[in-house]
Amino acid sequence: MTYRTLSAALFILLLGAPPTQGAPDPTILAGAGDPFRVITLKAPDNSIVANFLSYGATTKNFWVKDKHGKYRDIVLGYDNKKKYESDPSHPFFGGIVGRYANRIKNGTFSIPITKDATGDNVYHIPENENGGLDTLHGGLTGYDRRNWAPIEVSKSKVTYHLIDPDGTQGFPGTVQALVTYTLLKGAKWKIEMYANATAKTPILLSSHVYWNLEAYQETQSLADHRLYIDSSRVIAADGILIPTGELTNVTGTYWDFRNETRIGDVIDKAVGYCGTGCTGLDNAWIYDRSAESKSAFSLSSPNSGIKMSVTTDQPALQVYTCNGIANNGAGKNVTIPRKKAHGGPKKYYPKHSCAVIEQEGWIGGINNPEFGQDQIYGPDRDYKWSAVYSFSS
Ligand SMILES: *[C@@H]1O[C@H](CO)[C@@H](O)[C@H](O)[C@H]1NC(C)=O
Ligand SMILES: *[C@@H]1O[C@H](CO)[C@@H](O)[C@H](O)[C@H]1NC(C)=O
Ligand SMILES: *[C@@H]1O[C@H](CO)[C@@H](O)[C@H](O)[C@H]1NC(C)=O
Ligand SMILES: *[C@@H]1O[C@H](CO)[C@@H](O)[C@H](O)[C@H]1NC(C)=O
C-alpha cells in the first residue's frame, strides 16, 4: 500500500467516503472548517452569481444583470475577508443575525414572555448597544460572528450549519441552525432557515444583507430607489428603537409605502423616524396580507433597471436606510472602505446610500406579550424561515 492509498483508506474508515457534490462535507466532523472559505454559486442559467463566506454564513458578493445585460455586485461588504471579523464598526454586513435579531430591552427576557421580564425563568444577555440599555442581534458574538460549516455544497446551493451551545451569550438550550442559499433560474434567490433547540429559548433569525441596486454606479445614494411595502402598521419604538408594544398606523406618515415611493422624496423628511436625532428609516413593518403568495415588498432603481421583489413566510420586515453607516451615533465618523466594485477602497460607504432588508418575525416580541407572538422554540417546536428574492431588469 502506498502512503496515498493508505491515507485514502484511513480517510474513508474514519470519516466515510470523500465529499462528492451534494454529500455532507466531512469538515463538519473536524469542526466548522476555514471561516474565511468562499463558496461561489451560480444560478443554472447564470442569472445570478454569488459568493458566500462561512463566517456568519455571509452573503459576500451578489451579481445580477442590469438593464444593459451587465453584471453588478449589488450587496455591500468588504473585499478584505478578515474585515468581517475585525471591523470595529461592525455593521453586520451580509451575515445571519441571531439567536435573537434586533433589540432585547435591557438584555433581559423571561420564559414564558412577560412585559417586565419577571417570573422564575429570567435570562440576561450581554448588552452591546446604547451604553448597555439593550442587546442588538444576539449579544457580543451573535450568529454573524460565528463560523458556520458548509455541510452541503453544489453548483447552485449551499447549506450552512451552526451549533450554538447551551449558555452561549446567556441563552438557554443548545440551538442547531441551518441556512440554505439556493440560486434558481430566472434570477431567483431562495433562502431557507431552520433551527431546533434542546430547551425553551427565543429564536428570531434574519439575513442582514445591505443592498444598493445601482452598485454605486449612477449615483452614490438610495434616493432614486423606489420602495414598496404592503403594510399599514409599523412597530412603534422608543428613542433608541426599542419596541414599546404598540403599533403605529402608517396613514399620513412617511412610513406609508403602500404605493411605490421614491426614497429621495421622503428620507430627509423622516426626522426622528429612526430614533432620537436620527433621520431616515430603521423600522419594522407588519405585512398586511400573507406575503407568501404575492410579493409584499419591492425595491428598484430605474437607473440600473434592477428590481428586487420578495415573497416570504415571515410576518414582518425591517428596513434600515444606512442612517448611521458613516457615523457611530456618538458623533464620530466611521469610514468603511467600499468594495472595488463600488468605487473603493479610497471611497467610503456614505449615509443613506444603502438599505438593509430583513424579513423576520415581529421584533421585540420577546419583551412585548401584547404582540401575541410566540417566539419561544424548544424540543417540541422547531423554528422555520423562508423567502424568495426575485430580480428583474
Ligand atoms: C436590567 O437588567 C438587570 C440585570 O438583569 C436588572 O438588575 C435590572 O433591574 C434591569 N433594569 C430594568 C430597568 O429593568
Ligand atoms: C436538530 O437539527 C440538527 C441539524 O439539522 C439535526 O442534525 C438534529 O437531528 C436535530 N435535532 C432534533 C432533535 O431534531
Ligand atoms: C389607519 O388610519 C386610517 C385613517 O384614519 C384608517 O382608515 C385605517 O383603517 C387605519 N388602519 C389601521 C390598520 O388601523
Ligand atoms: C395610491 O395611489 C392611488 C392612485 O394615485 C391613490 O388613489 C391612493 O390613495 C394611494 N394610496 C396611498 C396609500 O397613498
Side-chain angles (χ1 to χ4, degrees):
M1 238 184 196
T2 62
Y3 173 76
R4 186 183 287 247
T5 53
L6 181 69
S7 56
L10 265 179
F11 182 88
I12 289 168
L13 190 71
L14 293 174
L15 296 173
T20 52
Q21 229 170 52
D25 185 326
T27 52
I28 187 176
L29 300 173
D34 173 10
F36 296 105
R37 177 175 168 192
V38 172
I39 289 174
T40 301
L41 302 185
K42 287 183 181 170
D45 58 0
N46 287 331
S47 51
I48 306 176
V49 180
N51 282 339
F52 300 93
L53 196 65
S54 299
Y55 194 76
T58 295
T59 303
K60 186 177 176 301
N61 306 86
F62 198 89
W63 291 272
V64 298
K65 287 180 185 170
D66 64 17
K67 63 184 178 186
H68 311 294
K70 290 222 169 72
Y71 287 106
R72 298 194 191 198
D73 182 1
I74 55 174
V75 306
L76 277 70
Y78 308 101
D79 284 332
N80 177 353
K81 293 183 281 185
K82 294 286 159 68
K83 286 254 182 188
Y84 285 93
E85 184 177 47
S86 64
D87 182 356
S89 71
H90 195 187
F92 304 85
F93 269 164
I96 296 297
V97 284
R99 179 184 297 199
Y100 193 87
N102 206 270
R103 294 177 177 83
I104 298 177
K105 186 178 183 177
N106 192 33
T108 312
F109 63 88
S110 66
I111 299 174
I113 295 170
T114 55
K115 186 73 181 172
D116 47 1
T118 49
D120 294 336
N121 294 302
V122 174
Y123 295 89
H124 194 71
I125 307 303
E127 296 97 338
N128 58 347
E129 204 194 30
N130 292 310
L133 293 178
D134 67 278
T135 300
L136 178 66
H137 296 328
L140 299 170
T141 312
Y143 285 10
D144 68 300
R145 288 202 155 174
R146 307 281 177 91
N147 185 16
W148 294 64
I151 55 167
E152 221 179 299
V153 187
S154 74
K155 283 181 186 160
S156 57
K157 182 173 173 177
V158 58
T159 296
Y160 287 102
H161 175 235
L162 178 73
I163 300 175
D164 179 24
D166 182 15
T168 310
Q169 297 293 303
F171 286 104
T174 295
V175 167
Q176 290 200 53
L178 296 173
V179 172
T180 300
Y181 296 124
T182 312
L183 301 183
L184 302 162
K185 64 178 165 49
K188 290 185 195 307
W189 181 32
K190 187 171 190 181
I191 311 177
E192 293 157 292
M193 303 189 202
Y194 162 86
N196 61 29
T198 58
K200 282 186 190 284
T201 189
I203 300 178
L204 192 75
L205 305 180
S206 196
S207 154
H208 202 273
V209 176
Y210 284 68
W211 302 91
N212 176 300
L213 301 181
E214 300 173 1
Y216 294 87
Q217 293 183 19
E218 289 86 357
T219 75
Q220 314 299 307
S221 146
L222 210 53
D224 278 344
H225 286 61
R226 269 64 169 170
L227 178 62
Y228 161 71
I229 308 172
D230 181 33
S231 165
S232 52
R233 296 173 300 165
V234 282
I235 291 179
D238 66 11
I240 56 168
L241 294 178
I242 294 172
T244 60
E246 283 159 15
L247 300 175
T248 303
N249 185 333
V250 301
T251 305
T253 73
Y254 297 117
W255 278 307
D256 193 343
F257 293 95
R258 289 172 292 181
N259 282 339
E260 197 177 62
T261 303
R262 184 178 170 272
I263 291 180
D265 292 346
V266 299
I267 194 165
D268 294 330
K269 299 176 189 154
V271 176
Y273 278 45
C274 47
T276 304
C278 175
T279 300
L281 305 172
D282 191 1
N283 308 96
W285 282 256
I286 307 300
Y287 286 127
D288 277 352
R289 60 173 139 67
S290 162
E292 253 179 303
S293 49
K294 195 174 167 203
S295 169
F297 160 82
S298 70
L299 185 69
S300 59
S301 163
N303 299 332
S304 64
I306 296 169
K307 177 170 190 167
M308 170 169 91
S309 332
V310 178
T311 55
T312 181
D313 64 358
Q314 295 300 295
L317 164 77
Q318 182 87 16
V319 177
Y320 165 65
T321 52
C322 293
N323 317 310
I325 199 163
N327 186 301
N328 70 358
K332 224 180 135 220
N333 286 342
V334 175
T335 49
I336 303 176
R338 296 190 206 175
K339 292 177 178 178
K340 265 203 201 95
H342 296 163
K346 287 202 177 134
K347 285 185 179 163
Y348 306 123
Y349 285 119
K351 180 181 175 180
H352 293 169
S353 72
C354 41
V356 179
I357 303 299
E358 297 160 84
Q359 314 296 332
E360 61 195 356
W362 293 42
I363 60 165
I366 188 66
N367 299 124
N368 294 291
E370 58 269 54
F371 285 167
Q373 301 292 306
D374 184 1
Q375 297 178 338
I376 304 297
Y377 297 85
D380 301 323
R381 189 167 178 240
D382 294 345
Y383 173 91
K384 289 196 178 77
W385 187 111
S386 96
V388 177
Y389 285 62
S390 302
F391 298 85
S392 58
S393 57

